[in-house]
Amino acid sequence: MKSLVKAGLLIISVLTLLVACGGGGGGSTPGPVTQLSGVASKGLVSGGTVRAYKIVGEAVTTQIGSDATTAADGTYSINIGDYTGPLMVQVTGGTYVDESTGLPTQLNIQTQNGLRAYVANATSGTPLTAAVTPLTELAVQYLGTGALSPANITAANSKISNLYGVADIVTSSPTSGTYQSTLSAISSMSTGASTPVTVGDLLASMKTQIPVNQDPLPVTVGITKDKASAIANGSDIVTLTASVLPVKPAGTPVVFAITSGIATFEDGSTTYNTTMNAPTAKIKSATLGSVTVTATCAAVSASTTITFGGAPVITLSVDKSSAVASGTDIINLSVTSTTNLPVGTDVTFSIVSGNAVFGNLATTYATKILASPANTAQATILSSVNGDVVVKADCQGSSDTKTVTFGNGLASYASLKEALGPVFVIASDASIPTGTIVNFTATGAGTIRVFDGNWSKTGAYGTSAAPSVAAAGTFAGKAAVYLRCNSAGDVTITATRQGSSTPIGTVTKTCYVQTSSQNVNVSLTPAGAAKLGSNTVTKLWFNIVAAPGTSTSAIASYGSAVAVEQKNAVTTFVNLAPNTALTSSTPIFTATYAYNPSPATFTVMPIGSVTLSGGSTVTLTSSDFVVQ
């Protein structure tokens, strides 16, 4: 009996051992997996690359899990398997909308290493949250790259959390409360400062202020303004905003004071008392000169200077004084000022008389002074009706007008500036019936061939070509040829209707040798992509406009599945029908332009509304696009 009992116990022990080892020869069972997720924010980072790295031996080592890409709301998620222990999360690349300037900003330009966060401990099978922000980056810089024990990581994260009044810089949401206010203040003190600095430079300065003991963090005050100059008319307002680090409670007093120059706040005083609940003030002046304003909170001050001057003198210029009344041949408008108007200054274009519309297909177009091309505002105008058009630009009480003419006749559909081409040349006359042959001749530095829709330098180019007037399509009612430059110099094209000895018109173009070419990628900003959501886009029209006077050629090549029409030397019309959802992480259009002698800058001007599946529409503006 005892032998049977012993044998039974032995069998149970063996079975228990086999179960503990995973059965008979099946290998070890992997532990439960861990999902690492969070939000990358310096402004919500869209299209950033997120990687997680093991910390072994108190140092950052190998990557765990695959790369992840942040969504438009900054969120990310990585499967880090059954890893247990401390780790580092790093976000590089991508763009965010800066809280201070409101402009799309590339993360890598602002921070050399992107943004990082140390996490004290991951436990296999337990979901893990890690925000990646300037505050977690500050904790990383404070701790350094050695002695990365869980205890040291926890201590560094806790120190930065306590100093800036955030519950936990790693696990708290950076999109609300004190955390969000702190990130906004960091923007105000870096990119939004009177003398802007990068976020990376500001963090390096903030690191030097971290006390080594339990002392509180020194208060830092910043002051930003919505514009650096205003008109001295007693009504043009400059809005000032104070930022304080660490963020103070809502009721903390903030005092704005005019410390030099002649101006008043909106209530007529030279001192304005408010609180951190709304730390803003507005000033105005009727006297020419500079005004210095100081913001004080917790006995710490910061100052900024505003210049009040006369109304700016603006100049409205055009890239050409006439165009074909085709509804597609555009004239580029540009506004400049001798006073170098600040970026963001409002400019309004309007049609005073005549029949024409702007690129938005309306008779008014509101835009702003752009940083590129430097301190200019731009618009395009087109018409399908013959006649003169008077166009006007208004800016801060100053205006200028130009008269342009739309009509028939021979026109270059693109001014070739180099030897890459080709370029459309159009013969148009309302009296020419469909099917009529038009004889083109070319003399000088270029040759021509009949337009056939094939965008290429190759083909049967010669000194003459005889296309017929098209019945439909892009050039309905017109005859068209391609022009190709063969050498540097002028080329003259003449068009004559068959059976007539009177030319429709003559145009002379200059060919230049190509210096080089530049790739152009058009993408949506995170804000633009957010307007579209996850909806399928069925129609998206826009113009790509190079700066007036640029040496850029007609488009040389472009991506497939896109209808492209080169309107003139500086404008490309794109008719996009992607039939898919669009994001900010993938370019929606790519092209190559040649130039001589230097590359151009480009702006996207949407045409009409974006059509979504189901027939609904969304309106995009130029600020919803990025050209790189």
Side-chain angles (χ1 to χ4, degrees):
M1 186 68 178
K2 290 182 179 180
S3 297
L4 289 174
V5 171
K6 289 180 179 179
L9 291 174
L10 178 60
I11 291 171
I12 292 171
S13 298
V14 171
L15 289 174
T16 301
L17 181 61
L18 286 172
V19 170
C21 293
S28 61
T29 301
V33 300
T34 297
Q35 202 69 26
L36 167 66
S37 61
V39 175
S41 182
K42 171 54 213 79
L44 299 174
V45 178
S46 175
T49 300
V50 188
R51 296 186 176 100
Y53 296 89
K54 298 178 182 179
I55 294 178
V56 179
E58 301 191 358
V60 176
T61 59
T62 57
Q63 182 177 353
I64 45 175
S66 302
D67 290 1
T69 301
T70 57
D73 61 357
T75 56
Y76 72 90
S77 182
I78 301 175
N79 183 336
I80 60 172
D82 59 356
Y83 175 72
T84 295
L87 55 85
M88 182 187 79
V89 186
Q90 184 175 34
V91 180
T92 56
T95 60
Y96 63 92
V97 177
D98 187 272
E99 299 98 322
S100 179
T101 65
L103 299 175
T105 305
Q106 294 183 25
L107 179 62
N108 282 357
I109 292 177
Q110 291 294 318
T111 57
Q112 184 177 4
N113 295 312
L115 295 173
R116 298 167 292 178
Y118 286 151
V119 180
N121 194 40
T123 302
S124 177
T126 301
L128 184 63
T129 298
V132 190
T133 70
L135 289 187
T136 62
E137 173 65 24
L138 184 60
V140 168
Q141 293 185 21
Y142 174 70
L143 184 54
T145 57
L148 303 181
S149 66
N152 288 343
I153 291 173
T154 299
N157 288 338
S158 296
K159 188 176 187 71
I160 301 302
S161 298
N162 293 334
L163 288 174
Y164 288 93
V166 177
D168 189 317
I169 60 172
V170 175
T171 61
S172 298
S173 169
T175 61
S176 61
T178 300
Y179 208 153
Q180 183 183 41
S181 299
T182 300
L183 298 184
S184 294
I186 288 173
S187 285
S188 296
M189 295 182 185
S190 55
T191 52
S194 296
T195 304
V197 297
T198 66
V199 173
D201 288 341
L202 179 63
L203 291 178
S205 175
M206 292 169 63
K207 176 186 172 184
T208 65
Q209 298 177 351
I210 298 175
V212 296
N213 47 30
Q214 298 303 311
D215 292 341
L217 188 71
V219 172
T220 302
V221 175
I223 182 170
T224 58
K225 54 207 173 190
D226 64 341
K227 54 188 177 183
S229 61
I231 300 173
N233 59 7
S235 61
D236 194 12
I237 296 294
V238 178
T239 300
L240 305 160
T241 303
S243 301
V244 181
L245 287 176
V247 173
K248 295 295 182 182
T252 303
V254 177
V255 179
F256 290 89
I258 296 170
T259 54
S260 69
I262 300 174
T264 62
F265 293 100
E266 274 196 307
D267 61 1
S269 69
T270 56
T271 301
Y272 183 76
N273 295 286
T274 184
T275 67
M276 285 301 297
N277 187 50
T280 61
K282 297 180 179 181
I283 68 166
K284 56 187 177 179
S285 178
T287 304
L288 299 177
S290 296
V291 174
T292 300
V293 182
T294 299
T296 302
C297 181
V300 178
S301 301
S303 299
T304 190
T305 300
I306 301 102
T307 300
F308 287 92
V313 177
I314 66 171
T315 300
L316 174 61
S317 58
V318 296
D319 66 336
K320 57 186 180 183
S321 59
S322 62
V324 178
S326 61
T328 57
D329 191 13
I330 71 170
I331 295 174
N332 291 286
L333 312 170
S334 180
V335 167
T336 57
S337 172
T338 54
T339 55
N340 243 4
L341 290 168
V343 172
T345 302
D346 292 326
V347 177
T348 301
F349 293 88
S350 59
I351 305 297
V352 177
S353 63
N355 294 287
V357 293
F358 295 100
N360 61 351
L361 303 184
T363 55
T364 60
Y365 179 68
T367 185
K368 296 180 181 295
I369 294 292
L370 304 175
S372 178
N375 299 100
T376 64
Q378 296 182 317
T380 58
I381 186 175
L382 62 156
S383 179
S384 57
V385 179
N386 292 343
D388 290 341
V389 174
V390 178
V391 62
K392 181 182 180 184
D394 290 284
C395 177
Q396 293 188 342
S398 178
S399 64
D400 192 18
T401 60
K402 284 287 182 186
T403 300
V404 295
T405 301
F406 289 91
N408 296 320
L410 179 61
S412 170
Y413 218 56
S415 298
L416 191 65
K417 292 287 182 139
E418 45 68 54
L420 192 58
V423 177
F424 298 123
V425 176
I426 308 300
S428 176
D429 189 312
S431 65
I432 303 179
T434 298
T436 300
I437 300 296
V438 176
N439 297 313
F440 286 78
T441 59
T443 58
T447 48
I448 55 177
R449 71 175 173 89
V450 173
F451 167 78
D452 59 5
N454 179 24
W455 191 274
S456 173
K457 276 184 69 175
T458 61
Y461 284 86
T463 57
S464 63
S468 59
V469 175
T474 301
F475 301 123
K478 306 173 182 66
V481 296
Y482 282 134
L483 163 67
R484 181 183 71 182
C485 282
N486 300 320
S487 61
D490 290 343
V491 55
T492 298
I493 304 100
T494 301
T496 304
R497 180 170 50 170
Q498 192 175 55
S500 171
S501 59
T502 303
I504 297 171
T506 299
V507 64
T508 299
K509 295 298 171 186
T510 301
C511 296
Y512 297 94
V513 176
Q514 173 187 332
T515 299
S516 187
S517 60
Q518 62 187 122
N519 294 324
V520 173
N521 295 304
V522 176
S523 303
L524 291 171
T525 65
K531 290 182 179 179
L532 303 179
S534 58
N535 296 295
T536 296
V537 176
T538 58
K539 190 195 84 170
L540 172 58
W541 289 6
F542 55 89
N543 288 324
I544 303 174
V545 183
T550 179
S551 56
T552 297
S553 77
I555 192 170
S557 63
Y558 59 90
S560 60
V562 178
V564 175
E565 180 181 335
Q566 189 70 29
K567 290 190 172 182
N568 53 41
V570 294
T571 302
T572 306
F573 168 70
V574 178
N575 177 353
L576 193 65
N579 292 315
T580 185
L582 302 178
T583 68
S584 60
S585 59
T586 303
I588 59 176
F589 178 72
T590 60
T592 302
Y593 291 79
Y595 60 83
N596 176 310
S598 57
T601 54
F602 294 85
T603 303
V604 172
M605 292 188 173
I607 300 176
S609 299
V610 180
T611 303
L612 307 178
S613 58
S616 60
T617 60
V618 173
T619 299
L620 297 179
T621 66
S622 293
S623 63
D624 292 321
F625 294 84
V626 177
V627 182
Q628 297 174 319

